[in-house]
Amino acid sequence: MWRPKMMQIPTPEEALPGRKDALSVEPEHFVNGRDIRGECPPGLQESLVGMGCFWGAERLFWQLPGVEVTSVGYGGGHTRNPTYDEVCSGHTGHTELVRIWFDPTVTSLDAILKVFWENHDPTQGMRQGNDIGTQYRSAIYTPDRASLETAVASRDRYQRSLSAASYPDITTELRSGVVYYLAETYHQQYLAKNPNGYCGLAGCQVSFPSS
């Protein structure tokens, strides 16, 4: 069956090459002033999640207890240091992501994933509601195999709840070791800067099981 190119992830050979240098991004989180650049700070843990448009998704997580830093960016594809326009073209393979640095003594990956699963529809493939294309696919990218196993287990638990509510199979992409590229400054903490800005988040109204 033929599908528009934007609904298919390009191969490395088809993808835009991007650029050697990272985009210039202001370092300070607009809400809490912490540095959003670089590697995960010592003592914190990292998770990357894609839930469709990253504006509303980031706001969900910066409000959570134990979450120290959030940022938005791109990952899961092939293009180095992509721009937003390139990601929107469908020719990078990247999806829109929120990077979450959290304190494991205050919260847990399971708690992060509960918010992830309950606040979008993870069964829609290359779309989220009216937002259509590869950049809107659901994704969880982890820094290591242990946290990937936690994410897979959470998916399987949530699938049972979704199936009981007559939803189809989860299409969320789960991988470890994905390279993350920070998005442009104007996307960072967008809904704090623009309180009436667009937020297309809509979950399935199915609770994530406690065990």
Side-chain angles (χ1 to χ4, degrees):
M1 179 179 178
W2 179 87
R3 294 179 295 174
K5 191 66 176 178
M6 67 183 300
M7 300 297 282
Q8 299 179 4
I9 298 175
T11 66
E13 293 73 27
E14 293 171 329
L16 296 170
R19 55 202 47 79
K20 178 181 177 181
D21 295 328
L23 303 181
S24 178
V25 180
E26 292 181 8
E28 291 187 353
H29 194 284
F30 184 78
V31 176
N32 59 37
R34 299 188 178 108
D35 198 331
I36 67 172
R37 302 166 303 171
E39 302 299 319
C40 186
L44 302 183
Q45 293 183 9
E46 176 177 298
S47 185
L48 300 172
V49 297
M51 304 168 63
C53 177
F54 47 22
W55 292 344
E58 186 186 13
R59 180 172 60 181
L60 283 175
F61 293 104
W62 82 55
Q63 297 174 340
L64 293 181
V67 171
E68 295 289 321
V69 184
T70 60
S71 64
V72 296
Y74 317 113
H78 311 294
T79 301
R80 294 189 303 166
N81 299 301
T83 66
Y84 181 66
D85 286 344
E86 289 170 343
V87 172
C88 288
S89 77
H91 296 294
T92 68
H94 293 304
T95 190
E96 295 188 16
L97 295 170
V98 181
R99 182 170 67 181
I100 304 153
W101 289 340
F102 63 95
D103 184 343
T105 68
V106 178
T107 190
S108 66
L109 180 56
D110 247 3
I112 298 294
L113 293 174
K114 173 181 170 66
V115 174
F116 168 80
W117 292 120
E118 290 183 348
N119 286 279
H120 78 302
D121 184 344
T123 70
Q124 294 191 339
M126 300 297 180
R127 67 182 297 164
Q128 196 61 213
N130 292 326
D131 294 328
I132 299 172
T134 54
Q135 80 193 79
Y136 299 116
R137 70 186 185 272
S138 176
I140 303 170
Y141 301 141
T142 68
D144 52 51
R145 295 294 301 180
S147 51
L148 180 62
E149 290 173 4
T150 298
V152 169
S154 77
R155 177 201 61 192
D156 294 345
R157 285 160 57 193
Y158 198 52
Q159 181 66 68
R160 290 191 288 271
S161 296
L162 288 178
S163 296
S166 300
Y167 277 90
D169 289 347
I170 288 171
T171 60
T172 302
E173 182 180 11
L174 294 98
R175 293 164 53 191
S176 61
V178 167
V179 177
Y180 173 78
Y181 301 100
L182 280 171
E184 295 87 340
T185 294
Y186 75 94
H187 291 297
Q188 304 296 335
Q189 301 82 58
Y190 183 86
L191 291 184
K193 302 169 183 173
N194 304 276
N196 296 319
Y198 171 77
C199 176
L201 288 177
C204 296
Q205 316 308 313
V206 175
S207 296
F208 182 72
S210 57
S211 61

